[in-house]
Amino acid sequence: MNSAAVPLTAGHPAPGPYDPATARLLAGWYAIGRPATLVDHLRHYGPAPFGSAFSGSACSPLVEAVAEAGLTGRGGAGFPTARKLRAVTAQRGRRVLVVNAMESEPASRKDQFLIAVAPHLVLDGAALTAAAVGADTIHVCLPRDRVAQYRQLSAAVDDRQRARLDPVRLRLHALPDAYVSSESTSLVRWLNGGPALPGGSPPHSHERGVLRRPTLVHNAETLAHLAMIARYGPAWFRQAGTPDEPGTLLVTVSGAVRTPAVLEVPLSTPLAMILDRAGGATQPLQAVLLGGFGGSWLPVEHLHTSLTRRDLAPLGASPGAGVLVALPSASCGLLETARVLTYLAAHSARQCGPCRLGLPAVADDFTALATGRADAALLSRLRHRASLLPDRGGCRHPDGAARLAASALHTFADDVDRHLTHGTCKAAHQPPRLPVPSATAPETWL
């Protein structure tokens, strides 16, 4: 990561007592100010309430509670969690649960931080989910380059095994660290002995996944929320957020803010308030990147918008992976976008035309625009090429790149005109703001 990388911090602990409306998954962190051991976890939350989970069918009390709570996936897609639980329990045979802790989004640190400070909350959620859907094995997938994270979670699993907390087997896996390796079918494909690349459908993973068994894949944060719902109930969960989009969300805030941090905020929190919780802007802002590298740029005038899918949808945006990057006016949004698109092109699965041909072409055109090397036909060519990416790939990777490119052309329209007329701008010489890793293609997917 470069100098713009987000530190693993939750900012300053909240003063006063624990407020369940604003701190839930991070309540233990705020209470003790350090990563929770198993003893800390049991003292704060007590043991996981497995009595509400055992069933292995769609009518499990826990599945019903999750449905009533309105929990949606926190990995980016926002799919209703109960629908995924019911889909896998509708299949015959012993099921498998996969915990997606890959977090390959470079601008996100939420899952890493959650596992660092509250590993047993994630593992509680995994064990409860496995019991609810009738899974006898839990596979926890982490990127292999985060050695310290793997060791920490392995130690937490060992502590739970010695305490005989979990009725199912937990297995940790270290996967190749690449952008598309965190896609759910990539995890299933790798666990079946293949490359960590997206697989085609059908059959879907919930029908035939790991070892050809019905497989449920859930993000780490989603499982931690599920563990809280199992303890405190759906009515408690709905005390935060909105009736349509309840609960809290972990958000990684970075860029031109005083305290880059992972924050837990209720859904419906205005974007400006989230930036204020990260210490506020250090410079005048022109835009924010919302959702991550496959997300959208929003002009600064939209910072009053609430963090909900409903409010962001008219702007062509969504909470996505819970990423918020503040871009100062002194930076070049076109150059920042070009760097991201070059990275996404290098880290594509290269299994279909949009990834092999479309993404590199769009990245090259955008780089030419950002660096003042545009020809007369570039803008129309770039718009046309970007419009061909969505809904044509073997996975959703090209869709995210197209969304980012389109939002940049709209948000930075004045800069586009200046770059086309006068070449590169002075802002292009500013230090980069987005944490873009090397654009070198991964050495291996195995």
Side-chain angles (χ1 to χ4, degrees):
M1 302 296 289
N2 61 22
S3 59
V6 183
L8 283 180
T9 173
H12 301 291
Y18 159 49
D19 180 358
T22 58
R24 295 179 169 193
L25 305 186
L26 301 183
W29 166 258
Y30 284 119
I32 63 177
R34 57 179 169 80
T37 64
L38 180 56
V39 172
D40 295 326
H41 174 75
L42 293 175
R43 182 182 298 123
H44 191 86
Y45 295 108
F50 283 106
S52 68
F54 279 117
S55 174
S57 69
C59 59
S60 160
L62 181 56
V63 175
E64 293 302 314
V66 170
E68 187 178 343
L71 175 65
T72 55
R74 299 307 199 238
F79 194 80
T81 302
R83 285 175 61 183
K84 292 181 68 173
L85 295 170
R86 287 169 174 161
V88 76
T89 55
Q91 307 301 313
R92 290 186 175 183
R94 297 296 293 174
R95 293 99 184 187
V96 176
L97 173 64
V98 177
V99 180
N100 188 350
M102 294 292 291
E103 195 169 32
S104 62
E105 167 57 55
S108 179
R109 290 292 182 276
K110 69 181 184 69
D111 288 340
Q112 294 176 61
F113 186 76
L114 178 62
I115 290 172
V117 303
H120 295 288
L121 202 56
V122 175
L123 296 175
D124 272 359
L128 285 162
T129 300
V133 302
D136 59 7
T137 305
I138 299 170
H139 297 282
V140 183
C141 295
L142 299 150
R144 63 175 55 141
D145 70 331
R146 295 176 196 153
V147 178
Q149 184 184 23
Y150 185 92
R151 288 175 178 168
Q152 181 197 25
L153 198 56
S154 180
V157 170
D158 289 344
D159 288 343
R160 295 173 72 90
Q161 289 177 342
R162 283 191 292 268
R164 298 183 178 180
L165 288 182
D166 303 318
V168 293
R169 179 177 57 170
L170 285 113
R171 296 183 59 189
L172 268 60
H173 305 272
L175 277 67
D177 184 22
Y179 192 83
V180 296
S181 293
S182 64
E183 208 272 349
S184 62
T185 59
S186 297
L187 307 186
V188 171
R189 197 171 175 185
W190 190 88
L191 290 168
N192 281 333
L197 291 171
S201 293
H204 298 285
S205 298
H206 72 268
E207 297 170 324
R208 192 168 68 212
V210 178
L211 300 178
R212 303 174 67 86
R213 294 163 58 183
T215 299
L216 175 65
V217 182
H218 267 319
N219 162 262
E221 182 190 343
T222 307
L223 292 169
H225 283 292
L226 186 146
M228 299 292 278
I229 293 170
R231 285 179 166 89
Y232 305 118
W236 169 86
F237 184 76
R238 285 184 167 276
Q239 289 174 6
T242 71
D244 293 332
E245 300 179 51
T248 61
L249 179 74
L250 295 181
V251 181
T252 309
V253 187
S254 64
V257 292
R258 288 183 177 80
T259 311
V262 173
L263 303 172
E264 184 173 10
V265 301
L267 284 160
S268 79
T269 305
L271 301 179
M273 186 177 296
I274 298 174
L275 295 179
D276 287 342
R277 285 195 53 188
T282 57
Q283 304 174 47
L285 303 181
Q286 60 173 316
V288 294
L289 177 63
L290 183 63
F293 283 14
S296 305
W297 288 105
L298 289 182
V300 69
E301 55 264 29
H302 292 308
L303 288 180
H304 65 278
T305 308
S306 296
L307 187 68
T308 64
R309 292 181 177 276
R310 178 179 179 178
D311 291 330
L312 291 168
L315 305 177
S318 77
V323 167
L324 189 63
V325 185
L327 185 72
S329 299
S331 295
C332 178
L334 297 179
L335 190 60
E336 296 283 355
T337 303
R339 293 172 56 239
V340 173
L341 290 173
T342 300
Y343 168 82
L344 293 177
H347 279 248
S348 74
R350 298 188 292 279
Q351 297 181 132
C352 62
C355 272
R356 288 187 295 104
L357 304 174
L359 269 177
V362 168
D364 288 346
D365 282 347
F366 218 103
T367 299
L369 172 64
T371 56
R373 296 183 288 107
D375 57 65
L378 183 138
L379 187 57
S380 61
R381 183 175 67 243
L382 172 57
R383 292 186 188 278
H384 175 68
R385 285 174 169 174
S387 71
L388 295 176
L389 293 179
D391 301 320
R392 286 180 168 86
C395 68
R396 291 298 180 183
H397 183 66
D399 300 50
R403 181 166 45 249
L404 179 72
S407 72
L409 293 177
H410 174 74
T411 299
F412 308 116
D414 291 343
D415 293 332
V416 170
D417 291 340
R418 282 192 289 268
H419 278 239
L420 291 173
T421 306
H422 303 293
T424 188
C425 60
K426 293 181 181 179
H429 303 291
Q430 294 293 316
R433 286 290 178 175
L434 295 180
V436 182
S438 168
T440 303
E443 294 182 4
T444 178
W445 303 97
L446 299 174

